[in-house]
Amino acid sequence: MWMQLSYYVPVVVLVVIFLAAAIRILREYERGVVFTLGRYTGVSGPGLIILIPFVQQMVRIDLRTIVLDVPSQDIITHDNVSVNVNAVLYFRVVEPEKAVIQVADYLAATGQLAQTTLRSVLGKHDLDELLAERDRLNNDIQEILDTQTDAWGIKVANVEIKHVDIDESMIRVIARQAEAERERRAKVINAEGELQAAHKLLEAAEIMSGRPEAMQLRYLSTLASIGTQNNSTIVFPFPLDMVRNLTDMLGRKGQG
């Protein structure tokens, strides 16, 4: 009996080793790129996968979205301002066979491509665009990366610029520029207010010149306004027509 058991033990061990080498289980978000004698034969999964030991090999590929932090890059903008910019990249593998066959390490390759693309795209824009138009720049970088990584079976879903670090001296320059811009707007608004007030005064003068009693009512309104205040000011209304008449008389006497 022991002789029979000793005969079957090696067979059982070989079967266990064979099954351990042949059976693979892939999760729902995983795919297996299968090679038979070194040649690509297809993509398998998810679920139970049976391989021929020593004949077939399988490379696991994760299909979930990968978040890649792009390190801070030293960038010279189009207007010659030095900034440090870092970003975050969201991508996933959509064609596992290309991610394995076309590129040695798709994670490292995508990361290096993201760094170079970030520098080249942002270097074509001014600092004001970099600070104010991040959405458009994010879309530009995303489109370029998505086009270049298509051959690797990778889909770039989104690119977000995280931080833009500027030198302290440049921050002070920007602050002075913003202050000057606010002063300019204040002067323009003040000038526009003066212009509108002048137009309204002109309209009021035209209305009053057509109706002399309107000027008298304005005199009385001004006197009533002054009289309500606690002061010792005495106001004597003096007709403007009399002033003009006196001026004309003095002018004629001077000519005579």
Side-chain angles (χ1 to χ4, degrees):
M1 180 176 179
W2 291 106
M3 293 296 295
Q4 293 178 350
L5 290 176
S6 62
Y7 176 77
Y8 288 111
V9 167
V11 177
V12 173
V13 172
L14 290 176
V15 170
V16 171
I17 295 175
F18 177 83
L19 293 176
I23 295 176
R24 297 288 188 275
I25 297 177
L26 298 179
R27 298 180 179 87
E28 183 65 31
Y29 55 83
E30 291 180 328
R31 297 295 184 270
V33 181
V34 180
F35 295 89
T36 302
L37 296 177
R39 296 178 63 87
Y40 166 71
T41 54
V43 178
S44 302
L48 181 65
I49 307 298
I50 298 178
L51 303 174
I52 302 175
F54 308 109
V55 176
Q56 292 182 319
Q57 293 83 33
M58 184 187 71
V59 179
R60 292 176 182 262
I61 296 295
D62 194 328
L63 301 185
R64 293 177 294 181
T65 299
I66 300 173
V67 181
L68 182 63
D69 189 13
V70 181
S72 180
Q73 302 295 311
D74 293 330
I75 298 173
I76 303 297
T77 61
H78 188 262
D79 51 350
N80 296 323
V81 178
S82 178
V83 294
N84 292 326
V85 181
N86 64 343
V88 60
L89 175 67
Y90 300 87
F91 69 96
R92 62 187 181 90
V93 177
V94 293
E95 297 181 79
E97 65 278 9
K98 289 185 178 180
V100 174
I101 298 173
Q102 300 297 331
V103 61
D105 187 346
Y106 68 90
L107 286 175
T110 304
Q112 293 297 322
L113 181 61
Q115 295 180 33
T116 56
T117 304
L118 185 68
R119 289 195 297 268
S120 62
V121 171
L122 298 185
K124 299 178 182 178
H125 297 273
D126 295 337
L127 178 62
D128 292 340
E129 296 177 346
L130 181 58
L131 296 176
E133 301 181 7
R134 288 195 184 185
D135 292 338
R136 182 171 65 86
L137 296 178
N138 290 337
N139 293 332
D140 292 343
I141 298 172
Q142 185 267 330
E143 291 176 0
I144 294 174
L145 287 176
D146 192 30
T147 301
Q148 295 181 346
T149 58
D150 184 66
W152 302 340
I154 294 174
K155 173 64 178 178
V156 178
N158 194 14
V159 177
E160 292 290 340
I161 297 175
K162 293 172 61 178
H163 299 293
V164 178
D165 296 329
I166 309 174
D167 188 74
E168 290 293 335
S169 60
M170 182 55 61
I171 292 177
R172 291 192 293 269
V173 172
I174 294 174
R176 290 197 299 269
Q177 179 183 3
E179 183 178 358
E181 177 66 19
R182 287 193 295 269
E183 291 180 355
R184 183 189 67 84
R185 293 179 182 178
K187 291 180 180 178
V188 170
I189 293 173
N190 186 34
E192 291 178 352
E194 292 292 340
L195 179 61
Q196 294 177 4
H199 284 298
K200 293 301 180 181
L201 290 174
L202 179 60
E203 293 177 4
E206 291 176 351
I207 294 173
M208 290 182 178
S209 63
R211 301 296 297 270
E213 59 271 17
M215 184 62 72
Q216 298 297 328
L217 293 175
R218 185 60 182 165
Y219 282 153
L220 295 175
S221 176
T222 303
L223 291 175
S225 176
I226 295 175
T228 57
Q229 301 177 3
N230 296 325
N231 54 36
S232 58
T233 303
I234 300 176
V235 179
F236 293 97
F238 192 79
L240 295 178
D241 293 338
M242 186 177 293
V243 174
R244 285 195 293 268
N245 293 333
L246 291 174
T247 303
D248 293 339
M249 291 174 62
L250 294 175
R252 287 194 294 270
K253 289 180 178 180
Q255 293 176 358

